Amino acid sequence: MTVTLHQGDLPAGLSLGAMVAIDTETMGLRPGRDRLCLVQLSAGDGDAHLVQFAATAAPPYEAPRLAALLADPAVLKLFHFARFDLAVLAHYLGVSVRPVYCTKIASKLVRTFTDRHGLKDLCRDLLRVDLAKEQQSSDWGAATLAPEQLAYAAADVLHLHALKVRLDAMLAREGRTAWAAAAFEFLPTRAALDRGGYQDIDIFEH
Ligand code: MN
């Protein structure tokens, strides 16, 4: 596994293929208040690329190569709980991320025998991989990230391709592939509603 740290944008000429796992680390859970510090990417080959943003950057961040990848209709972006990452990426990079696959939504559609749909749960149950989560609430705004933070951040994108394979098989088995596709298609709108003030409201509810 190689973890490469980039400053401010992806390097020119880097190709991550047609399916890229993506995660973000922020200063907190409120996109308007808590800045985007790190975007992690993996082509599913065991390597991770991390893009770090300086505290002085103001949204929208100037990261044209990363933004182009996120908006590229030919590249499927894999997330775990895409709803949050999409809102953050829209706010800080000014992009509507498409097309999207979310392992958490896929899990909720097929793993109806459990209410445990966290990334750590999926990695343990579907891949027999133990994901350490100790760095989850660390200071991602630090100018110099610790080796443990970099390893943690990378781990969040290294297993999404393998999870998608397992979850796609379960979706097919249970006849819910079309529901998953429709839910993924709606995700950019769900993120836009969150940003528009509907973050605590389920518009489908009575
Ligand atoms: Mn993460």
Side-chain angles (χ1 to χ4, degrees), residues 23-25 40 152 156:
D23 187 32
T24 64
E25 302 300 338
Q40 307 100 280
Y152 165 84
D156 273 357

Side-chain angles (χ1 to χ4, degrees), residues 8 32-33 38 41 51 68-69 72-73 86-87 91 100 102 107 116 137 145 161 169-170 172 197:
R33 179 191 69 179
L38 198 68
L41 307 96
V51 179
L69 173 68
D72 188 340
L86 262 51
H91 187 86
V100 170
C102 177
S107 177
R116 302 188 68 92
S137 51
L145 296 170
H161 289 73
M170 294 180 77

